[in-house]
């Protein structure tokens, strides 16, 4: 019996709530049909729309701020990568420039050494030919060395220029002595044979000194 009474009370309460709800709705409808009711309704609706728009706007703004922050992070990462690549490119450029300079120096030195061989070898050959008493071959070798020596001496300055000029002058004198003999000193009591021997020795020493006085290759 108690349970039935309870159910009846609950059902009666529900019916009462529904009826009250209908009454409120009817009152609201009648109120909205009036001028002031419509104004109040529009005001309430405006406030609701404002809050809805505010909430949606804040949500969209927060989302945009998050996206902007992410993009800024990506941009900063890209800028850091770009800076690193730029620094590496600069370092590589410096290394390439340094290697180019070293290569140019090596090529210059190689050309110089090749040119020096063109001088030294004929001089050594001339020395051997003169020891074997081959005048014509000696003269030809000295001419070859002289031509290459003048080519190498072009543009030389200072002490190097003096060495080149001294070597060129001695080789030229040696060629002249091979052709016409050594000059006779005034008052010399040497016999023709002795003068010939002394001349040959002088030419030999001139050629030998020419191989020694050449400037050292550039470092």
């Amino acid at each position: 019996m108690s349970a039935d009474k309870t159910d009846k009370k609950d059902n009666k309460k529900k019916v009462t709530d529904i009826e009250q709800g209908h009454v409120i709705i009817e009152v609201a409808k009648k109120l909205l049909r009036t001028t002031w009711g419509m104004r109040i309704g529009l005001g309430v609706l405006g406030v609701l729309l404002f809050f809805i728009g505010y909430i949606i706007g804040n949500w969209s703004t927060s989302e945009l701020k998050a996206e902007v922050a992410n993009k800024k992070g990506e941009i900063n990462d890209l800028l850091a990568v770009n800076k690193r690549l730029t620094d590496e490119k600069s370092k590589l450029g410096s290394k390439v420039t340094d290697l180019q300079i070293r290569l140019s120096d090596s090529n210059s030195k190689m050309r110089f050494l090749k040119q020096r061989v063109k001088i030294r070898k004929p001089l050594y050959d001339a020395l051997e030919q003169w020891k074997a008493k081959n005048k014509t071959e000696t003269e030809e070798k000295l001419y070859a060395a002289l031509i290459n020596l003048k080519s190498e001496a072009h543009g030389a300055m200072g002490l190097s220029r003096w060495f080149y000029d001294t070597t060129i002058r001695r080789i030229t004198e040696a060629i002249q002595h091979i052709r016409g003999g050594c000059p006779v000193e005034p008052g010399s009591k040497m016999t023709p044979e002795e003068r010939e021997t002394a001349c040959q020795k002088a030419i030999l020493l001139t050629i030998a000194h020419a191989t020694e006085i050449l400037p050292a290759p550039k470092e």
Side-chain angles (χ1 to χ4, degrees):
M1 294 293 291
S2 298
D4 292 338
K5 289 181 179 180
T6 302
D7 291 338
K8 288 179 179 179
K9 287 181 179 179
D10 291 340
N11 292 331
K12 188 176 182 180
K13 185 178 180 180
K14 289 179 180 179
V15 170
T16 303
D17 291 340
I18 292 171
E19 289 177 351
Q20 288 178 350
H22 285 299
V23 171
I24 292 171
I25 292 172
E26 289 298 326
V27 171
K29 286 181 179 180
K30 291 179 180 180
L31 184 64
L32 289 174
R33 290 190 183 100
T34 65
T35 303
W36 283 103
M38 292 179 65
R39 290 178 179 177
I40 293 171
L42 290 173
V44 173
L45 181 62
V47 171
L48 289 174
L49 290 175
F50 171 78
F51 278 108
I52 292 172
Y54 179 78
I55 293 170
I56 293 174
N58 280 344
W59 177 78
S60 300
T61 302
S62 299
E63 187 176 5
L64 287 174
K65 286 182 178 179
E67 289 182 3
V68 169
N70 290 334
K71 293 297 181 182
K72 284 184 177 179
E74 292 177 2
I75 291 172
N76 290 333
D77 292 340
L78 290 174
L79 289 175
V81 171
N82 183 63
K83 185 178 183 303
R84 179 173 58 80
L85 293 176
T86 301
D87 293 341
E88 290 180 358
K89 181 181 178 181
S90 178
K91 290 179 181 178
L92 288 174
S94 299
K95 289 182 180 179
V96 169
T97 301
D98 183 58
L99 289 173
Q100 288 176 339
I101 293 173
R102 291 171 62 184
L103 179 61
S104 178
D105 291 341
S106 298
N107 289 336
S108 297
K109 186 174 182 180
M110 187 177 297
R111 287 193 297 269
F112 181 85
L113 292 174
K114 287 181 178 180
Q115 180 67 21
R116 180 53 56 81
V117 170
K118 292 180 181 179
I119 300 170
R120 285 187 175 275
K121 188 176 186 307
L123 284 176
Y124 286 127
D125 291 342
L127 190 63
E128 295 300 319
Q129 292 296 331
W130 186 248
K131 289 179 181 179
K133 298 182 180 181
N134 297 323
K135 290 186 177 182
T136 302
E137 289 79 359
T138 302
E139 186 177 345
E140 289 177 355
K141 297 297 181 182
L142 290 177
Y143 261 122
L146 188 62
I147 291 171
N148 289 298
L149 185 60
K150 288 181 178 180
S151 175
E152 184 181 304
H154 181 71
M157 299 174 64
L159 188 60
S160 292
R161 184 71 204 187
W162 180 84
F163 277 120
Y164 281 121
D165 291 342
T166 301
T167 307
I168 290 170
R169 186 180 67 255
R170 288 184 178 180
I171 294 175
T172 302
E173 289 175 354
I175 294 173
Q176 292 173 351
H177 295 165
I178 291 172
R179 286 181 175 180
C182 298
V184 179
E185 296 181 5
S188 176
K189 297 180 180 181
M190 296 174 60
T191 63
E193 290 78 10
E194 290 174 340
R195 286 200 298 271
E196 179 67 20
T197 301
C199 185
Q200 291 180 354
K201 185 177 180 181
I203 293 172
L204 183 68
L205 291 175
T206 298
I207 299 173
H209 288 161
T211 62
E212 297 169 359
I213 202 171
L214 287 174
K218 300 175 184 178
E219 296 296 333

